[in-house]
């Protein structure tokens, strides 16, 4: 690693925390299972900690999305084989990746935008083969939670209608510069078949937000204005109790109920 990388000042406004532990980098890259036929897309490569390991796997194509122009310049200079895309991941057109035959997405996501990015990526990239993201530990627990637990929430119900998730390993603050104040964790995402995706993502999103904005209330109370004979029939058929709270519903039940919203 060259000295230029070593002394780049992290920008708090961009949520930059640079990985410095090569063993952790290798574990994250290994988790995506890269091969020579892959088109790999990395979010926020920063100083290239993951990028350099990805390059060594010799994928068919490696694209990186970087918001910091200075770091993007360095990556372009150091690695001519890279496709460097400059821009904000929150504004990136994830649907554009649907023109590919398939892709894998990887990244050390900034804490302040990680949940929003994952929400968009899993529901918009139909060509996604696998994703591996490092996020705040608390978010990792939410992404992989089971119904009924405290960590289970709207993000869980949404993501699990598009992909299966797996908690891989915890990452301590000591492997970053500067060190964050909380632990991180790495999560893998395995997309569900397209035919299993929600027919109306808008309805599902609306229902999830409606219910979890009042997560302490019973379903019958929250859904009082939407209640109909068809909805009542669904509750009976699915053996869902009206006095349940939102976190008691499975992702599949959220999807089923969303058709009545």
């Amino acid at each position: 690693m060259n000295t230029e990388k070593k002394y780049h000042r992290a920008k708090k406004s961009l949520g930059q925390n640079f990985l410095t532990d090569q063993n952790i980098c290798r574990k994250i890259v290994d988790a995506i299972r890269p091969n020579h036929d892959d088109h790999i897309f990395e979010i926020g490569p920063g100083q290239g900690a993951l990028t350099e390991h990805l390059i060594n796997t010799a994928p068919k194509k490696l694209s990186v999305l970087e918001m910091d122009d200075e770091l993007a310049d360095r990556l372009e200079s150091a690695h001519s084989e890279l496709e460097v895309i400059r821009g904000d991941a929150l504004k990136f057109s994830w649907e554009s990746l649907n023109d590919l035959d398939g892709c894998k997405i990887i990244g050390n996501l900034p804490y302040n935008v990680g949940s929003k990015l994952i929400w968009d990526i899993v529901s918009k990239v139909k060509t996604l083969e696998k994703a591996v993201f490092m996020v705040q530990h608390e978010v990792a627990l939410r992404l992989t939670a089971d119904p009924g637990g405290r960590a289970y929430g709207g993000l869980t119900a949404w993501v699990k209608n598009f992909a299966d998730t797996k908690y891989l390993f915890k990452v301590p603050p000591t492997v970053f510069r500067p060190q964050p104040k909380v632990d991180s964790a790495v999560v893998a995402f395995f997309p569900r078949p397209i035919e299993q995706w929600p027919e109306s993502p808008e309805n599902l999103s609306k229902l999830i937000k409606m219910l979890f904005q009042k997560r302490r209330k019973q379903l019958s109370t929250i859904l009082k204005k939407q209640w109909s004979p068809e909805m009542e029939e669904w509750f009976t058929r699915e053996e869902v109790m009206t006095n349940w709270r939102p976190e008691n519903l499975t992702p599949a039940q959220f999807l089923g109920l969303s058709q009545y919203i």
Side-chain angles (χ1 to χ4, degrees), residues 80-255:
S80 59
E81 66 271 49
L82 273 184
E83 178 189 33
V84 179
I85 303 168
R86 298 162 189 263
D88 184 347
L90 287 175
K91 298 176 181 177
F92 184 74
S93 174
W94 294 107
E95 292 91 342
S96 66
L97 299 185
N98 292 332
D99 294 334
L100 304 173
D101 291 334
C103 66
K104 294 178 179 178
I105 306 180
I106 192 170
N108 170 23
L109 304 184
Y111 289 163
N112 57 340
V113 298
S115 296
K116 176 69 171 80
L117 283 177
I118 291 169
W119 181 289
D120 288 345
I121 289 168
V122 298
S123 61
K124 292 180 178 180
V125 185
K126 295 180 180 179
T127 55
L128 184 64
E129 296 172 351
K130 187 178 183 180
V132 172
F133 297 127
M134 179 152 60
V135 293
Q136 187 174 345
H137 187 252
E138 179 185 334
V139 174
L141 294 179
R142 288 168 57 199
L143 287 164
T144 56
D146 291 322
R150 189 180 253 182
Y152 186 83
L155 180 65
T156 329
W158 175 262
V159 169
K160 289 193 175 186
N161 268 293
F162 296 92
D164 295 322
T165 60
K166 183 178 181 181
Y167 182 105
L168 297 182
F169 54 90
K170 195 173 185 178
V171 181
T174 51
V175 303
F176 295 95
R177 184 190 62 80
Q179 291 187 21
K181 295 180 180 178
V182 295
D183 289 323
S184 303
V186 178
V187 178
F189 299 78
F190 306 89
R192 302 175 69 83
I194 297 296
E195 55 270 21
Q196 294 180 15
W197 283 27
E199 289 185 18
S200 176
E202 297 81 9
N203 280 8
L204 177 61
S205 175
K206 182 178 179 180
L207 176 68
I208 287 172
K209 291 173 181 177
M210 179 195 304
L211 295 187
F212 279 105
Q213 281 171 358
K214 301 177 180 179
R215 67 178 297 156
R216 298 195 176 197
K217 294 184 180 292
Q218 296 180 1
L219 294 174
S220 58
T221 302
I222 307 172
L223 295 170
K224 189 174 182 179
K225 291 182 179 179
Q226 284 78 26
W227 200 258
S228 66
E230 292 80 13
M231 187 180 288
E232 184 171 358
E233 191 177 301
W234 179 88
F235 269 77
T236 302
R237 184 171 65 251
E238 292 294 318
E239 299 182 345
V240 173
M241 306 298 292
T242 57
N243 64 351
W244 283 8
R245 289 179 170 77
E247 65 263 24
N248 298 123
L249 293 175
T250 66
Q253 287 169 335
F254 270 99
L255 179 59

Side-chain angles (χ1 to χ4, degrees), residues 1-19 42-52 55 64-80 82-87 108 110 177-178:
M1 188 175 289
N2 64 40
T3 55
E4 266 196 320
K5 292 177 185 175
K6 186 176 179 181
Y7 292 105
H8 180 81
R9 184 181 294 276
K11 297 173 183 174
K12 186 178 288 189
S13 62
L14 299 183
Q16 290 178 339
N17 296 92
F18 300 121
L19 263 173
E42 183 185 359
I43 302 170
Q47 297 184 100
L50 296 181
T51 313
E52 293 182 2
I55 288 172
V64 298
L65 175 61
E66 178 54 61
M67 191 175 180
D68 188 319
D69 283 330
E70 182 183 347
L71 291 174
D73 288 342
R74 293 184 184 185
L75 287 166
E76 278 186 331
S77 298
H79 306 290
S80 59
L82 273 184
E83 178 189 33
V84 179
I85 303 168
R86 298 162 189 263
N108 170 23
R177 184 190 62 80

